[in-house]
Amino acid sequence: MSTSSAGERPYKKMSMSPKEYQTFAKQREPSRSILKNCVKAFVVGGLICLLGEFIQQLYIHLAGMKPKSASNPTVATLIFISVVLTSLGVYDKIAQWAGAGTAVPVTGFANSMCSAALEHRAEGLVLGVGANMFKLAGSVIVYGTVAAFFVGIGHLIFGTGGNH
Amino acid sequence: MLKGKQTWWFENKPVIIGAATVVGPDEGEGPLASDFDLIHPELDMQQKSWEKAERLLLEQATDFAVHHAGLQKDDIQFYIGGDLMNQIISNSFAARSLGAPYIGMFGACSTSMETLALAAQLIDSGNAQHAMAGTVSHNCTAEKQFRYPTEYGSQKPPTAQYTVTGAGAAVLAATGDGPIVECATIGKVMDLGITDPFNMGAAMAPAAVDTLTAHFNDTGRSPSDYDLIVTGDLASVGHPIAKELLLRDGVPMNDTVFNDCGLMVFDISKQKVQAGGSGCGCSAVVTYGHLLKKLKHREMKRILVAATGALLSPLSFQQGESIPCIAHAVSIAAKGV
């Protein structure tokens, strides 16, 4: 490892180039198991969807709703659960373990809005909560809309999609 | 007196006559809990905002430090402080209630030793009889300003660090009883092109290496002259890198105990802090809480604290800039060494 003899004075100044150092530092980063992270995300994301399905079935069977009309209150219920867990300070702890599993479903979207609203409450309702609520969620909306636009164009060109 | 290229040698031996630390709940569950003067059980400390909680930490730490020094607030001729908040509001607002002439500094997490070095300089040059240095960080203000809302569910990589909630302050005097500030090496800004704000340890390691090497060359000292050398907050990724770099260049770091405040303040195997602690408060609470006590009780004779700072802003890393870093090293010795 060392080419110089220890203790030689004055000590040498570090002589790595930025490029050499970046490679050197990269090699010393703790490894992250992508597979393990994917499995966790798959399981947790799947469980959230399963919970959604369960809630939807409740609305269908207990409230007598049609499957289609039951989907809106189902999403609202999931959002409500996510907001409660965020406010209790639990959601971020689950997310550290679950990764994309809690970020991708609608609960993650609700968490991003709720956490920003909570965080910026100290700066007031307008400049704090109002202005910052979409700080993280805003880009999802922007790029979601842009993506939907291009998918719509694709459908128009190829004559696919559209149930209406 | 200037010694070598970048080291101040304090011939008049400024004394740390009082110091204090106030921390949050996670630090209170860490291995150094018994060394802190006050542990807050809640992160919000019953304040209306995280920023107010951070300010409270610093106000309490400076109050305790003045009290431990056996002085009144009016006796502090200069207060030198800094923190991580934009426009260093925690220190400026705390200085408002302190009422002492105030010098605000920013050196990110290196601020603890930057302010201590300057306070020692004021005493040594005869420009003050009593000066206080202080710094603070709060996990939630740092998350809010530099990362995401505290309750946002983002997954942190294992290289990320956990900002320490804590404040530390030290009162220095020309005469009195306490550990001596012997010398201080002021660091250069080092940037080796690391851009990942979730890997500050690797970004800051070269700055620590540069300052430590400069310190040994300026003073003619070797690592073996110190019972302990600590870096500020390189944590489990950056600290081994710094050690490897120093050994590669022939600096015999194995002749001393080489540790890191970010690894000392938390038990990283049990607490969920990823790579370890960071923030202005990290090196401040470890040095002023834990290490000064070791020097006072003569368990150690001489230590070197190289506080490391990442001089980035949320704007600079979003614009793809790399992370410039700095380290300042201060040598502190037990009285009569």
Side-chain angles (χ1 to χ4, degrees), chain B residues 73-295:
Chain B
K73 275 186 185 180
D74 292 346
D75 298 326
I76 302 299
Q77 290 159 328
F78 296 96
Y79 170 65
I80 307 167
D83 53 79
L84 293 173
M85 291 295 93
N86 291 339
Q87 289 79 41
I88 52 169
I89 47 170
S90 301
N91 270 270
S92 303
F93 282 57
R96 179 177 65 184
S97 53
L98 184 69
Y102 160 63
I103 302 171
M105 291 182 100
F106 179 78
C109 313
S110 72
T111 307
S112 60
M113 291 305 115
E114 189 183 26
T115 51
L116 183 67
L118 192 66
Q121 178 67 273
L122 287 183
I123 302 289
D124 189 57
S125 60
N127 282 302
Q129 270 80 51
H130 298 125
M132 179 158 62
T135 188
V136 63
S137 57
H138 190 296
N139 182 274
C140 300
T141 60
E143 288 291 319
K144 180 176 174 180
Q145 182 177 300
F146 290 96
R147 299 173 198 111
Y148 300 114
T150 44
E151 298 304 332
Y152 177 58
S154 70
Q155 193 180 39
K156 296 219 170 79
T159 51
Q161 290 173 239
Y162 192 85
T163 306
V164 163
T165 302
V171 179
L172 283 86
T175 54
D177 193 25
I180 310 282
V181 182
E182 293 185 309
C183 57
T185 303
I186 304 299
K188 293 179 194 169
V189 175
M190 296 286 285
D191 188 343
L192 289 182
I194 301 284
T195 52
D196 180 5
F198 286 110
N199 194 1
M200 304 269 225
M204 295 190 291
V209 170
D210 189 70
T211 299
L212 287 173
T213 312
H215 175 83
F216 297 132
N217 288 339
D218 282 355
T219 58
R221 285 182 175 173
S222 312
S224 59
D225 289 317
Y226 293 99
D227 296 316
L228 174 73
I229 297 176
V230 287
T231 45
D233 53 353
L234 298 182
S236 69
V237 179
H239 189 259
I241 291 179
K243 186 168 185 178
E244 194 179 337
L245 290 172
L246 285 162
L247 289 172
R248 268 166 76 113
D249 289 337
V251 184
M253 294 308 286
N254 288 328
D255 294 352
T256 185
V257 180
F258 187 37
N259 207 338
D260 181 73
C261 298
L263 294 171
M264 294 163 79
V265 70
F266 296 121
D267 181 346
I268 66 164
S269 62
K270 289 191 188 127
Q271 294 181 282
K272 287 181 177 157
V273 295
Q274 290 88 38
S278 68
C280 294
C282 183
S283 51
V285 301
V286 173
T287 307
Y288 299 149
H290 179 63
L291 300 177
L292 288 187
K293 288 191 177 77
K294 294 264 177 201
L295 290 169

